[in-house]
Amino acid sequence: MNNFFERRYVITGIFLVIIFALLARLYYIQIVDDKYEIYANSNVRRTTILYPARGPILDRNGKILVQNEPIYDVMVNSKDVNKPFDTLLLCKMIGIDKDGFDKRFIKAQKQSPAKPFIFEKQLSVQLYAALQEKLFEFPGFSVVPRTIRTYPDSIAAQFLGFIGEVTDRDIKRSNNYYRLGDYIGVTGVEKAYENVLRGQRGVQVQMVDSKGIPKGSFANGALDTVPRSGERLTSSLDIDVQRLGEKLMQNKLGSIVAIEPSSGEILCYVSSPTYDPNLMVGRQRGNNLAKMYNNPYKPFFIRPIQAQYPPGSSFKPLSALIALQEGIISPNETFYCTGNYRAGNRIVHCNHGEAHGTVNMARAVAESCNGYFSMVFQRIVDRYGVKNTEANFKAWRANVMKFGLGAKLDLDMPAESRGNVPTPLYYDNVYHKGGWRSSTVVPLAIGQGELLATPLQMANLECTIANRGFFYKPHLIKAIGTENVIKKEYTEKNYVGIDSGYFEPVINGMQAVVESGTAIRSKIPGIIMCGKTGTAQNSHGEDHSVFVAFAPRDNPKIAIAVVVENSGEGAHWAAPIASFIVEKYLTGKVTTRASGYTADYFANASRMPDLALYAKDFQKERRRDSIRSARIDSIKKFKADSIKKFKADSIKKAKQETAGNNKGGSLMSILTGRRTRS
């Protein structure tokens, strides 16, 4: 009897444990774990993402640079394709073939078996209108409205940039904000201001029956949210000046950057060759992208901020200002130019070897005397003796960098280059420490040698001279929505350490450049423009044509830098182009020059350099990219193989040790180098 009663308590206890376990499981399923709730809800409701329109981008006067137009993505939910339909008719209506249909459908089944999958992208309004009437005949297929970018004037491509589908990397960086099929800014303003332009997605939750047919809003729309369009951006560009700049630079390689000195706002931002930004949207985007990517002249290369050129003689006013500030020379001190200046074992020739005779600072700037500025540079670097060459050079370099050279100007755009102001360490590595002198690096005096600057930096240098000693950081966006972009760094004056009084003799020389000097053919009727021509030597054939300027002389409204690659002297091409841009901005029109040249003459002229020069470098870059990619792949494969081999060897060793040692530890302990005692 006692055994019977004991067994009864044991059995009762077992039943109680089972009941409590079941109750605990039910509590977990219904209260704690929401997985089953999600499964249940997914059977009765369908969530659709509502995509917002990206914000439009305007010029400084409110004219549209980029806006949106509606398109439609065809979606498929493969689990809802549960009855036959006319696939050939659907293919015809959305513009694909049967093989394309099969590939897309198989991909949808594999990648998104239970959720809508993008079957075909970017149907036009016309295609959508025809499809909408027969959409009910294609079970499981639906259409989601979206927008794509459109560019009414087809200009400013490198400034505006373009958008593209997100990559896995983009999704990861955004903490999964983006989803496959979303679009993101890839270059230009679209990338720099992505968070502002993209807007906020909305959702629409519909109740569906067991067959997946919508039956209205779920919970009376309580879960729905309305998409919020992206903010409008107002840029600093002047659309009329930009259009003229691109016209003047067609069939040429180079760049134009124009800035308003009193604000740092960029008025013109031309990179040539350019492209029609409308080619980067629509269903042919991939083909167009491939063609431009394979163009040796590199239309995706943003020359205003990525190209680095020797500034040539446009650098000379800066040298003069540093010499004046350092007390190296006075404005009226003269130098006798014979056409050839000896710096140590080097001979520096003036352009074409002409002898300028007796020149002071203003005349040296006006006539671009290489000998004068070579002498000035040597005085700066040798002022405390050759034993202090490195220290003197460092001081010169620091003064140059105050003007914004050799460092990023922090433009509100991605991919800006630094340019280059060489360091003493660079020359130590080339000539060994103590093995170089001012005569060794004298080409820097005339903007050659290792000195490099972007067109943006050159234009910013002219802003500094126009402002008599300071600049505002250049920027491209004036306002976001209705709010002006008032960043502290855009309102601060960046002083370069030159007393304002020293600018007048230099500006006198720059005015003489246009009034009676090398750029006289570019003189603008009724406008005093101060400028400096440059002829920049390079490794790609003919010299680059360079011109920098600001106008008018008093209360300047525009500063500009123009580079026309492989086009010879600055006076021949860059200066006339710059003069038409300046005149257009200040007066709203362009006129014929006294020399008889018109804007159309320069717009229709072709200065495209020999393709072989660029194709050779282009192929080198491609080979470097291929080698780099192959190396990365090899490293990844080597690492993967090494890890695989290590694991295999470790497991093999672990098995051997375990079999041969009864006291051996577990596999995990062996792999971690530890032993456990049994």
Side-chain angles (χ1 to χ4, degrees):
M1 290 294 291
N2 291 335
N3 288 338
F4 172 77
F5 282 108
E6 289 178 0
R7 286 197 298 271
R8 184 180 65 179
Y9 291 131
V10 171
I11 293 171
T12 302
I14 291 172
F15 274 105
L16 288 174
V17 170
I18 292 172
I19 290 170
F20 280 120
L22 290 174
L23 289 174
R25 182 60 179 164
L26 286 173
Y27 176 81
Y28 178 78
I29 291 173
Q30 295 186 19
I31 306 300
V32 179
D33 189 3
D34 60 356
K35 178 172 63 176
Y36 294 97
E37 180 185 5
I38 293 172
Y39 288 158
N41 286 334
S42 65
N43 291 327
V44 299
R45 65 187 189 188
R46 178 178 297 163
T47 301
T48 303
I49 301 296
L50 303 177
Y51 293 96
R54 288 180 74 86
I57 303 175
L58 314 177
D59 89 328
R60 65 188 298 109
N61 299 311
K63 297 178 181 178
I64 295 174
L65 290 169
V66 56
Q67 58 187 2
N68 304 294
E69 67 177 21
I71 51 98
Y72 301 86
D73 288 348
V74 178
M75 313 293 290
V76 63
N77 195 328
S78 56
K79 73 172 186 178
D80 293 337
V81 182
N82 49 24
K83 64 180 180 179
F85 59 89
D86 191 341
T87 55
L88 293 180
L89 176 60
L90 178 59
C91 290
K92 181 179 178 181
M93 298 191 78
I94 64 177
I96 63 173
D97 56 23
K98 183 62 167 57
D99 289 340
F101 177 93
D102 293 338
K103 289 178 182 177
R104 288 168 172 80
F105 193 75
I106 292 171
K107 188 175 181 180
Q109 288 179 312
K110 288 181 178 179
Q111 295 188 8
S112 185
K115 294 181 179 180
F117 179 82
I118 299 179
F119 191 78
E120 179 64 4
K121 304 169 187 173
Q122 301 187 6
L123 262 64
S124 65
V125 174
Q126 293 77 15
L127 285 177
Y128 168 69
L131 176 64
Q132 186 183 28
E133 296 179 359
K134 294 185 175 293
L135 193 60
F136 70 93
E137 297 181 12
F138 310 119
F141 288 86
S142 59
V143 175
V144 174
R146 302 190 72 158
T147 59
I148 57 171
R149 302 302 242 172
T150 180
Y151 308 85
D153 283 278
S154 303
I155 62 171
Q158 286 88 352
F159 158 67
L160 296 170
F162 57 86
I163 62 174
E165 281 195 49
V166 295
T167 63
D168 291 339
R169 188 178 182 184
D170 294 325
I171 294 172
K172 185 176 180 180
R173 283 180 171 179
S174 70
N175 293 322
N176 293 316
Y177 172 85
Y178 295 104
R179 306 179 184 185
L180 287 176
D182 284 355
Y183 292 92
I184 190 173
V186 178
T187 63
V189 173
E190 296 280 13
K191 179 177 182 179
Y193 287 86
E194 167 66 17
N195 292 344
V196 173
L197 289 168
R198 71 188 180 192
Q200 181 63 47
R201 287 190 300 247
V203 295
Q204 182 183 48
V205 184
Q206 290 183 309
M207 186 167 56
V208 296
D209 62 16
S210 59
K211 297 180 180 179
I213 299 174
K215 295 296 182 181
S217 296
F218 183 84
N220 294 321
L223 302 180
D224 295 351
T225 59
V226 178
R228 190 180 74 241
S229 297
E231 294 281 6
R232 180 186 68 224
L233 291 187
T234 301
S235 74
S236 58
L237 291 188
D238 185 307
I239 195 172
D240 296 323
V241 174
Q242 180 74 19
R243 189 185 296 111
L244 175 62
E246 293 190 11
K247 178 182 176 182
L248 291 168
M249 289 297 291
Q250 62 189 3
N251 296 317
K252 304 170 187 68
L253 297 187
S255 174
I256 302 174
V257 177
I259 306 175
E260 184 179 62
S262 61
S263 65
E265 294 174 0
I266 295 176
L267 308 169
C268 183
Y269 187 85
V270 174
S271 182
S272 185
T274 186
Y275 58 91
D276 183 350
N278 287 298
L279 296 175
M280 300 307 296
V281 296
R283 300 168 80 179
Q284 290 300 313
R285 176 183 181 276
N287 295 331
N288 297 331
L289 184 67
K291 289 178 183 177
M292 287 187 280
Y293 182 70
N294 290 315
N295 184 339
Y297 291 129
K298 301 190 289 188
F300 289 139
F301 186 52
I302 308 172
R303 283 174 164 82
I305 59 173
Q306 292 181 326
Q308 302 178 83
Y309 305 100
S313 294
S314 67
F315 182 76
K316 290 174 180 175
L318 188 155
S319 291
L321 290 167
I322 292 175
L324 288 171
Q325 183 65 35
E326 296 294 316
I328 299 297
I329 197 168
S330 67
N332 295 322
E333 185 177 346
T334 60
F335 167 82
Y336 188 79
C337 172
T338 64
N340 299 288
Y341 176 80
R342 178 175 291 277
N345 294 325
R346 288 176 179 265
I347 299 295
V348 180
H349 303 283
C350 280
N351 197 25
H352 304 304
E354 74 272 31
H356 295 110
T358 302
V359 294
N360 60 13
M361 179 168 289
R363 188 171 171 219
V365 171
E367 299 186 14
S368 200
C369 179
N370 289 343
Y372 178 90
F373 288 100
S374 297
M375 178 271 295
V376 168
F377 177 78
Q378 282 203 280
R379 283 194 185 181
I380 293 173
V381 179
D382 294 340
R383 64 186 304 185
Y384 297 121
V386 294
K387 291 184 178 180
N388 294 305
T389 295
E390 182 173 331
N392 297 336
F393 183 83
K394 281 183 178 179
W396 173 85
R397 181 177 185 272
N399 284 326
V400 170
M401 293 188 69
K402 290 177 183 177
F403 285 80
L405 301 183
K408 293 181 181 180
L409 288 167
D410 294 329
L411 184 70
D412 51 342
M413 289 276 281
E416 182 186 356
S417 296
R418 295 177 178 274
N420 185 55
V421 181
T423 64
L425 179 60
Y426 170 82
Y427 293 116
D428 287 346
N429 291 333
V430 174
Y431 301 105
H432 72 76
K433 191 170 183 64
W436 54 279
R437 298 287 182 267
S438 63
S439 58
T440 313
V441 297
V442 74
L444 298 175
I446 55 175
Q448 291 291 162
E450 295 75 25
L451 191 67
L452 298 172
T454 65
L456 176 70
Q457 290 171 335
M458 295 183 200
N460 187 67
L461 171 58
E462 296 312 296
C463 287
T464 306
I465 298 174
N467 290 332
R468 278 67 169 175
F470 66 89
F471 66 88
Y472 295 99
K473 282 194 173 182
H475 52 282
L476 280 156
I477 298 300
K478 283 171 59 76
I480 298 176
T482 58
E483 299 294 326
N484 290 333
V485 178
I486 307 177
K487 292 184 178 179
K488 185 179 180 182
E489 58 264 35
Y490 296 160
T491 61
E492 292 179 341
K493 294 180 179 180
N494 296 271
Y495 287 94
V496 297
I498 307 292
D499 293 344
S500 60
Y502 290 130
F503 284 86
E504 289 309 308
V506 174
I507 291 173
N508 289 338
M510 294 179 69
Q511 180 178 340
V513 167
V514 180
E515 298 288 333
S516 58
T518 54
I520 189 171
R521 293 192 309 165
S522 301
K523 185 177 179 180
I524 307 170
I527 297 173
I528 298 177
M529 179 170 70
C530 304
K532 186 71 192 77
T533 53
T535 306
Q537 298 174 5
N538 67 93
S539 60
H540 288 85
E542 196 174 356
D543 297 338
H544 297 325
S545 178
V546 180
F547 184 71
V548 295
F550 63 88
R553 172 172 175 148
D554 298 322
N555 192 23
K557 298 292 192 300
I558 182 172
I560 190 168
V562 177
V563 179
V564 185
E565 296 182 19
N566 306 113
S567 294
E569 296 183 9
H572 293 168
W573 293 96
I577 288 172
S579 74
F580 291 123
I581 295 292
V582 170
E583 184 182 26
K584 179 68 174 179
Y585 181 68
L586 295 179
T587 69
K589 60 182 180 180
V590 292
T591 59
T592 303
R593 297 291 172 260
S595 58
Y597 284 123
T598 64
D600 286 340
Y601 169 81
F602 289 92
N604 295 329
S606 176
R607 296 297 303 174
M608 295 299 285
D610 184 0
L611 180 62
L613 295 172
Y614 285 81
K616 185 177 180 181
D617 281 353
F618 182 74
Q619 294 301 326
K620 284 182 180 178
E621 288 182 12
R622 285 302 176 86
R623 283 196 293 271
R624 282 198 298 266
D625 291 343
S626 298
I627 292 170
R628 188 182 300 113
S629 178
R631 285 176 178 171
I632 292 172
D633 290 342
S634 297
I635 291 171
K636 287 181 178 179
K637 186 176 185 302
F638 174 77
K639 287 182 177 179
D641 291 345
S642 299
I643 292 171
K644 187 175 181 181
K645 186 176 183 300
F646 173 76
K647 287 182 177 179
D649 291 346
S650 298
I651 292 172
K652 183 178 179 181
K653 182 180 177 182
K655 287 180 177 179
Q656 290 173 349
E657 290 189 11
T658 303
N661 186 358
N662 291 331
K663 295 184 179 180
S666 65
L667 175 60
M668 182 58 69
S669 66
I670 293 172
L671 291 177
T672 56
R674 298 175 181 174
R675 304 286 293 177
T676 57
R677 297 181 64 86
S678 58

